């Protein structure tokens, strides 16, 4: 009986997490992933790494001239190479990655708190990350590392052992590689929490350890030295709101920044549901954390059962997680513009852990009801997610199954050598470009030449109309590709979601008409 009492709670938590992860894997189970712009971009980076072996920077950030690191791409390369570029194999790798980290997170959170906190925190983390498992990009790598980052700092503060600080610094470097918008503010918060105490206690050796941050960021050091410090100039230009090293960006008013950061802090950052449900649950989550913070401040004056409950709470874990979560939104006030989900998503993991500590410690009946609704609503949302997956596969242009159909149509036409151009409203066309790199591996006997006209030339045309209903691709075809009006396609394929594939059999005269130099057929991460 005692053994059962010891294990039934983690068993239930494990079953809930397994169900949530299984529902989150609905697309992958059906042989599909979301192949939207950022995922297509990553596949271009995978292809570049497979050709070059070493690249120093990864995808661009939202600030012109600044790039993420390549660590996320390298983290996926084993699955990419093993699956010979198959996106579904990458999708399975994401499922394994998330599952492994949830088990690991439960174990490490339990080490610094207790079993109940670890259970609630792991369930909340699973509910948050599961809907993203079929579309993972670099910010999710930072999300998965956040609990370990928290644990390493708490353990350093508890034990004073330098090895925990070294581990924390290397984890911080990895998070900066994954998502700079999260990692850099987090590093500043770590400095703010540790440096004053180090100075007071004269821990000069420990202070010197912060210099180790250059080791996990060595690629940036090399890149900056080779190219004349372009990212440093761009960062200074963005911070000082000048035009040095960056494109001109309209200044966002401070009032709007404060409003948007507060909205994310108390609603979006802790939300586990789609609107409108997420607003009430987000606010309730923040209210619980606020109540817990007040009680922790007052716990020395409290008596009775509540005081006994609070004594079991590891206040240092709660305050460390909360400091990271709240101060992040203060620091990003200095960023000119709105913060996107990719920026704050990694830090959400710490807010959820703080929420788990608060809810577990207080143990009021209404909090148990609240957590029950969280889990139930989350599972219901995942069921709807699974149903949507079965309806969308092969029909929506942002899914791999759809993009694969585009590529199979072109390669299946049988041309040994052909040129191709891609038209999408966002001009980057990363989804279809990434898809064509996968097809290149799948059909090595056929030669596809990107953004160069050949006797057989294919145009992949996404739907985009102006206010008068005129298809905008006609200008692109004429002025950018260099195929005059009046040239009729030899074949046309109409696909779902408004996409069209046109095959042209071009004469030498038309091939000689130059395509625009503004067309970007490649992708260079250097």
């Amino acid at each position: 009986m005692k053994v059962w009492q010891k294990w039934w709670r983690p068993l239930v938590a494990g079953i809930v997490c397994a169900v949530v992860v299984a529902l989150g894997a609905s697309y992958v189970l059906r042989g599909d992933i979301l192949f939207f712009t950022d995922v297509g971009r990553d596949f271009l980076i995978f292809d570049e790494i497979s050709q070059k072996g070493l690249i120093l920077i990864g995808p661009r950030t939202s600030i012109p001239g600044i790039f993420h690191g390549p660590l996320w791409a390298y983290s996926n390369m084993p699955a990419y190479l093993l699956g010979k570029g198959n996106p579904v194999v990458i999708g399975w790798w994401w499922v394994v990655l998330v599952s492994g980290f949830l088990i690991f997170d439960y174990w490490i959170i339990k080490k610094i708190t207790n079993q109940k906190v670890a259970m609630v925190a792991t369930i909340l983390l699973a509910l948050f990350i599961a809907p993203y498992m079929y579309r993972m990009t670099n910010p999710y790598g930072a999300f998965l590392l956040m609990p370990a980052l928290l644990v390493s700092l708490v353990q350093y503060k508890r034990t004073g052992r330098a090895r925990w600080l070294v581990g924390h610094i290397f984890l911080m470097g990895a998070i900066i590689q994954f998502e700079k918008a999260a990692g850099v503010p987090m590093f500043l918060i770590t400095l703010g929490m540790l440096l004053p105490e180090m100075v007071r206690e004269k821990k000069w050796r420990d202070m010197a350890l912060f210099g180790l941050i250059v080791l996990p960021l060595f690629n940036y050091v090399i890149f900056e030295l080779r190219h004349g410090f372009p990212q440093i100039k761009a960062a200074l230009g963005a911070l000082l709101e000048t035009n040095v090293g960056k494109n001109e960006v309209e200044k966002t008013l401070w009032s709007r920044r404060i409003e948007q950061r507060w909205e994310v802090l108390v609603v979006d950052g802790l939300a586990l549901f789609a609107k409108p449900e997420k607003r009430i649950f987000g606010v309730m989550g923040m209210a619980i954390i606020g109540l817990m913070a007040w009680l922790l401040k007052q716990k020395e004056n409290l008596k009775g059962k509540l005081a006994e409950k609070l004594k079991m709470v590891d206040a240092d874990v709660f305050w460390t997680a909360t400091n990271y979560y709240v101060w992040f939104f203060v620091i990003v006030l200095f960023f000119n513009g709105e913060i996107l989900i990719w920026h704050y998503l990694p830090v959400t993991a710490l807010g959820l852990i703080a929420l788990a500590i608060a809810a577990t410690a207080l143990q009021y009946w209404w909090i148990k009801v609240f957590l029950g609704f969280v889990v139930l609503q989350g599972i219901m949302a995942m069921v709807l997610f699974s149903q949507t997956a079965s309806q969308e596969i092969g029909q929506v242009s942002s899914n791999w199954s759809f993009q694969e159909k585009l590529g199979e149509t072109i390669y299946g036409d049988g041309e040994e050598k052909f040129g191709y151009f891609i038209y999408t409203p966002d001009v980057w066309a990363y989804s279809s470009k990434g898809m064509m790199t996968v097809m290149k591996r799948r059909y090595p006997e056929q030669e596809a030449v990107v953004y160069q006209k050949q006797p057989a030339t294919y145009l992949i045309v996404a739907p985009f109309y102006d206010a008068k209903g005129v298809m905008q691709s006609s200008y692109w075809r004429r002025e950018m590709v260099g195929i005059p009006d009046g040239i009729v396609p030899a074949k046309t394929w109409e696909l779902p979601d408004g996409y069209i594939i046109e095959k042209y059999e071009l004469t030498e005269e038309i091939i000689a008409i130059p395509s625009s130099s503004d067309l970007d057929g490649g992708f260079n991460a250097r």
Side-chain angles (χ1 to χ4, degrees):
M1 186 65 179
K2 289 183 178 180
V3 174
W4 171 246
Q5 288 176 345
K6 180 180 179 181
W7 287 103
W8 78 268
R9 287 191 180 94
L11 179 63
V12 171
I15 292 172
V16 171
C17 289
V19 169
V20 170
V21 169
L23 291 171
S26 296
Y27 279 84
V28 181
L29 287 167
R30 293 176 172 88
D32 205 1
I33 66 170
L34 187 68
F35 210 75
F36 73 121
T37 298
D38 287 357
V39 173
R41 171 209 66 192
D42 285 349
F43 272 78
L44 291 169
I45 297 176
F46 300 156
D47 183 63
E48 186 175 358
I49 292 175
S50 68
Q51 295 177 41
K52 296 180 178 179
L54 176 67
I55 61 174
L56 295 177
I57 57 172
R60 59 190 175 88
T61 69
S62 56
I63 301 177
I66 298 180
F67 300 86
H68 297 298
L71 184 58
W72 176 252
Y74 281 108
S75 301
N76 286 274
M77 283 305 293
Y80 179 79
L81 296 174
L82 181 65
K84 298 180 180 179
N86 187 342
V88 180
V89 175
I90 299 283
W92 279 112
W93 169 241
W94 295 338
V95 174
V96 171
L97 202 64
V98 168
S99 302
F101 268 94
L102 287 174
I103 295 171
F104 177 68
D105 289 343
Y106 170 81
W107 180 70
I108 61 173
I109 294 171
K110 181 182 174 183
K111 286 290 184 182
I112 62 169
T113 55
N114 57 58
Q115 188 183 75
K116 289 182 180 180
V117 171
M119 286 165 39
V120 175
T122 305
I123 291 173
L124 293 179
L125 291 170
L127 286 171
F128 189 91
I129 194 66
Y132 298 109
M133 285 195 310
Y134 77 126
R135 53 176 292 177
M136 294 186 74
T137 53
N138 49 291
Y140 301 103
F143 179 93
L144 295 176
L145 289 183
M146 280 294 173
L149 186 82
L150 173 67
V151 170
S152 62
L153 184 59
V154 169
Q155 290 290 64
Y156 170 71
K157 291 167 70 175
R158 286 180 177 179
T159 67
R161 293 176 181 173
R163 66 184 183 185
W164 287 109
L165 180 58
V166 171
H168 181 81
I169 291 169
F170 274 84
L171 284 169
M172 189 68 76
I175 288 172
I176 293 173
Q177 289 269 0
F178 285 137
E179 176 57 60
K180 276 188 173 179
V184 172
M186 296 288 285
F187 187 57
L188 295 176
I189 297 169
T190 291
L191 293 175
M193 285 194 284
L194 294 184
L195 283 181
E197 183 178 343
M198 287 178 174
V199 171
R200 284 195 304 269
E201 298 182 6
K202 299 181 180 180
K203 293 184 176 180
W204 312 124
R205 186 197 64 172
D206 287 3
M207 287 180 63
L209 290 176
F210 282 112
L212 293 175
I213 193 68
V214 300
L215 294 181
L217 302 178
F218 76 96
N219 55 303
Y220 284 121
V221 176
I222 297 172
F223 179 81
E224 293 298 288
L225 292 173
R226 286 185 61 186
H227 298 282
F229 307 100
Q231 294 191 94
I232 293 176
K233 293 176 182 177
L236 289 173
L239 183 62
L240 300 175
E241 297 175 352
T242 70
N243 251 359
V244 179
K246 73 181 190 71
N247 297 330
E248 186 173 357
V249 179
E250 184 178 352
K251 183 177 180 179
T252 304
L253 295 176
W254 276 90
S255 58
R256 173 55 192 157
R257 295 188 203 181
I258 294 171
E259 177 187 0
Q260 197 255 340
R261 274 47 159 190
W262 176 254
E263 176 81 5
V264 176
L265 173 69
V266 301
V267 180
D268 296 326
L270 294 175
L272 298 170
F273 320 104
K275 291 182 178 180
E277 292 89 348
K278 76 173 186 179
R279 182 168 299 277
I280 184 171
F281 282 100
V283 171
M284 285 179 67
M286 199 64 192
I288 290 175
I289 290 179
L291 177 60
M292 182 62 187
W294 179 80
L295 286 171
L296 282 174
K297 287 289 187 183
Q298 302 295 322
K299 71 176 183 177
E300 299 300 328
N301 300 320
L302 295 174
K303 297 180 181 180
K305 292 183 179 180
L306 180 58
E308 291 299 318
K309 290 178 182 178
L310 289 175
K311 286 179 182 178
M312 300 178 65
V313 176
D314 293 293
D316 56 340
V317 183
F318 174 83
W319 283 114
T320 303
T322 304
N323 280 335
Y324 270 132
Y325 185 70
V326 174
W327 277 103
F328 169 81
F329 291 99
V330 174
I331 290 176
V332 296
L333 282 172
F334 295 93
F335 169 67
N336 179 29
E338 297 197 356
I339 58 169
L340 307 176
I341 183 173
W342 321 114
H343 302 152
Y344 66 79
L345 181 144
V347 189
T348 299
L350 302 178
L352 294 174
I353 293 172
L355 175 59
I357 295 173
T360 305
L362 294 179
Q363 294 187 4
Y364 293 123
W365 68 266
W366 59 271
I367 293 178
K368 292 181 180 180
V369 172
F370 163 68
L371 288 176
F373 270 117
V374 166
V375 176
L376 181 61
Q377 181 78 14
I379 292 176
M380 290 175 61
M382 293 308 301
V383 170
L384 293 175
F385 173 86
S386 180
Q387 293 174 349
T388 301
S390 63
Q391 298 168 2
E392 284 189 351
I393 289 177
Q395 303 299 313
V396 180
S397 61
S398 58
N399 288 347
W400 165 246
S401 55
F402 182 94
Q403 291 293 327
E404 184 181 37
K405 189 182 299 182
L406 291 178
E408 292 287 359
T409 300
I410 293 174
Y411 276 86
D413 198 39
E415 296 287 348
E416 291 185 6
K417 183 177 181 179
F418 58 89
Y420 69 91
F421 295 78
I422 304 170
Y423 173 79
T424 59
D426 68 357
V427 308
W428 299 107
Y430 284 156
S431 295
S432 295
K433 286 179 182 177
M435 172 272 294
M436 290 300 283
T437 67
V438 175
M439 291 296 149
K440 178 180 65 177
R441 284 177 166 268
R442 188 177 294 183
Y443 296 95
E445 69 282 359
Q446 293 174 257
E447 183 181 356
V449 185
V450 59
Y451 285 19
Q452 290 184 27
K453 286 182 285 186
Q454 301 291 321
T457 297
Y458 296 87
L459 307 186
I460 299 175
V461 183
F464 183 59
Y465 301 89
D466 64 13
K468 297 180 180 179
V470 178
M471 186 73 165
Q472 293 296 285
S473 58
S474 57
Y475 171 86
W476 169 81
R477 186 185 295 106
R478 180 182 66 252
E479 301 296 331
M480 306 294 284
V481 178
I483 297 179
D485 292 338
I487 303 297
V488 179
K491 290 183 180 179
T492 300
W493 294 268
E494 295 185 3
L495 289 93
D497 222 11
Y499 267 70
I500 297 173
I501 298 175
E502 298 174 342
K503 177 184 180 181
Y504 289 88
E505 296 177 351
L506 303 178
T507 64
E508 291 295 330
E509 181 182 6
I510 295 177
I511 292 174
I513 300 174
S515 300
S516 173
S517 59
D518 291 333
L519 288 173
D520 177 19
F523 184 90
N524 185 10
R526 286 174 287 183

